[in-house]
Amino acid sequence: MASNTQILARALGRLGRKYQHHIYAVGTALILVLQAMPAHAFGLFDPAQIALTCMFGGTSSGTANAAISALPAVINATITVILFIYFVASGVKVVNALGDGQEITQIVQQPIGIFFVTLVLFIAQNILFANVTAACT
């Protein structure tokens, strides 16, 4: 007999599986649209993006190649989208495993590891590039 938690997890797992691609599409679209608006731009690695923009001469020299100037923003958005999709897929996988009554210890190890590595990288780049501004100073 399934517990109430398993029944809820099974229902959420079915919904997650059914709408997983819709969640990917909406999340990716939101990330990309907000990334294109400088006032609302966000990403896990914005300080690193600003530093790379300065390194590639995006704001300090007007003669920079447009493709090279856009590369830091593309890298930042790509990393953010990939991590978003990974964590949604991992969440759906964990919920489905819970709904099936499986042991999830092995299933959650990798997403938790990726989360902590991302957290360490996020903190490190915020420390390294804390004083870098869009004016490349």
Side-chain angles (χ1 to χ4, degrees):
M1 175 133 165
S3 70
N4 289 338
T5 306
Q6 280 184 306
I7 293 169
L8 178 63
R10 191 172 296 139
L12 287 174
R14 284 186 187 136
L15 279 174
R17 216 176 309 131
K18 182 177 181 179
Y19 295 109
Q20 190 171 7
H21 290 72
H22 299 290
I23 295 168
Y24 294 160
V26 169
T28 301
L30 281 174
I31 290 168
L32 295 178
V33 166
L34 291 174
Q35 185 74 21
M37 294 187 290
H40 301 290
F42 76 97
L44 293 174
F45 302 106
D46 274 339
Q49 176 183 338
I50 293 168
L52 284 172
T53 300
C54 290
M55 284 175 46
F56 292 148
T59 58
S60 61
S61 68
T63 60
N65 185 349
I68 298 297
S69 296
L71 190 59
V74 170
I75 291 170
N76 187 19
T78 302
I79 291 171
T80 305
V81 167
I82 288 172
L83 286 171
F84 169 76
I85 289 173
Y86 175 77
F87 285 120
V88 168
S90 296
V92 169
K93 188 176 180 181
V94 167
V95 170
N96 282 319
L98 279 172
D100 294 340
Q102 297 176 14
E103 176 62 38
I104 62 164
T105 307
Q106 297 294 323
I107 297 172
V108 297
Q109 283 180 351
Q110 186 177 11
I112 290 172
I114 297 290
F115 173 78
F116 282 117
V117 166
T118 304
L119 183 63
V120 167
L121 290 173
F122 177 77
I123 292 168
Q125 61 99 31
N126 275 316
I127 292 169
L128 286 173
F129 305 120
N131 295 326
V132 177
T133 64
C136 298
T137 57

